[in-house]
DNA sequence: TTGACAACCTAACATATGTTAGGTATCCTA
DNA sequence: TAGGATACCTAACATATGTTAGGTTGTCAA
């Protein structure tokens, strides 16, 4: 990866911070406004960053920037390429409290970043064998990305009463069904008070 | 959080996936292209998603979208409770070489100690669906503790020719059998040259 | 049976956008 | 001492962009 100049480093840092704060990259002119330089000057910097491999850039599209300096080092590696993220294990899900309230958290476990690509993800211990059809066994821990809505076919964590349970979403019919993928169980229609806590994005098992 | 319609859920899901894949949100028309609807129709959907609190939207700015249905799960600051261990991912298993030879190692991933309680453990990517009966799916990574011998009922990694494969050990009969727990496959007797590389002690999956 | 809402449409508008062209000044290196 | 890279500039261009206005159709609860 080619060396950056001080200015190029500033620009890259600004883009990174902007994405952190807003959730989307800045436009050329937004960068320029911050540094009090013209858009064409920013353009030059972006081209340099692209040429040096630190930035991906989709021609002519606004905000189509992606920082690429997080790739690992090539070749045989004898050290960690990857950082760990501390992910909380959620136990009981007390009603009324947000899922990640300290009261619900039992402990925290370091996981590789690739498995936990989103902020506020958490681990939930699976109880029962209702999802064995999807390779989710009793005692497994699922990695959950919090989101209040999910789509047909997603494996989700829903809260019913005081319990968090893992099910597959079936939205193909008139009502929403929570489907256990173990054929020994029957799909149940979602009640009005069922709450989607998040989508299952990973799984961890220890034998 | 107000209820979404099926269509609104699809749109929200597309935006989420797009950000995941590209690093920046889609434009109104990019969403429309995917669903084969007009930009003005997409606009309506985005307004609905904003009104219902699932989306933030900066007026008139392209791609200025931010998904907000993960609120209420603000996590407290995380601190370290557990150390990570660097575990190598083994790719091809070159014949003649020890399984943990540098030539076999693709990369290293940090895992929580509780999952990897033994030295020289490694990760192996599972190919095929022969172990779905044990909740081990195609593409999963199993954590393997190296050992040359295992017991009846253990799930093990064996080397046959140049390939490492995951099977269940059946030693209840006169011969040793390698059992795929997917009933669609048949148990095979162990050949004299089959080598036990280790025992499966854990599993990791990313969706 | 009315009214609200959802889900789409066509057509048009103003403009913020990435980009290009051509220029100046400074610095470092061959 | 020439050349190249860096870091900026002004001016202009084509267009992809979010948005608005004004529809149609169907569904569903009051």
């Amino acid at each position: 990866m080619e060396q950056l100049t001080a200015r190029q480093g500033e620009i890259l840092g600004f883009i990174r911070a902007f994405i952190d704060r807003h959730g989307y990259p800045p436009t050329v002119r937004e960068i320029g406004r911050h540094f009090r330089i013209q858009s064409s000057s920013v353009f030059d910097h972006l081209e340099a960053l692209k040429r040096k491999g630190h930035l991906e850039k989709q021609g002519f599209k606004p905000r189509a920037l992606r920082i690429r300096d997080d790739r690992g080092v090539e070749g045989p590696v004898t050290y960690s390429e990857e950082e760990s993220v501390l992910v909380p294990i959620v136990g009981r899900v007390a009603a009324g409290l947000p899922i990640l309230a300290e009261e619900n958290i039992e402990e925290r476990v370091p996981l590789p970043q690739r498995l936990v690509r989103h902020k506020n993800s958490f681990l939930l211990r699976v109880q029962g064998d209702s999802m064995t059809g999807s390779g989710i066994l009793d005692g497994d821990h699922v990695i959950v990305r919090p989101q209040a809505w999910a789509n047909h076919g997603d494996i989700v964590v829903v809260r019913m009463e005081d319990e968090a349970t893992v099910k597959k979403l079936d939205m193909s019919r008139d009502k929403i069904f929570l489907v256990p993928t173990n054929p020994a169980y029957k799909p149940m229609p979602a009640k009005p008070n069922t709450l989607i806590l998040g989508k299952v994005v990973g799984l961890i098992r220890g034998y």
Side-chain angles (χ1 to χ4, degrees), chain A residues 28 42-43 46-47 50 55-60 64-66:
Chain A
V28 171
V42 175
F43 185 85
L46 298 187
E47 285 297 311
K50 181 183 178 181
L55 196 70
E56 265 181 30
K57 195 164 161 289
Q58 300 299 318
F60 269 103
L65 303 176
R66 165 183 246 169

Side-chain angles (χ1 to χ4, degrees), chain A residues 74-89:
Chain A
E74 301 294 333
V77 195
T78 52
Y79 56 90
S80 173
E81 276 186 1
E82 202 171 347
E83 291 281 319
S84 279
V85 193
L86 278 183
V87 183
I89 300 183

Side-chain angles (χ1 to χ4, degrees), chain A residues 4-16:
Chain A
L4 294 189
T5 67
R7 195 52 156 170
Q8 288 162 8
E10 285 185 79
I11 308 267
L12 191 64
F14 173 75
I15 297 173
R16 218 192 304 267

Side-chain angles (χ1 to χ4, degrees), chain A residues 30 66 102 122 155 158 167 184 202:
Chain A
E30 278 166 347
R66 165 183 246 169
E102 204 57 51
F122 59 91
I155 296 175
V158 297
K167 291 287 175 295

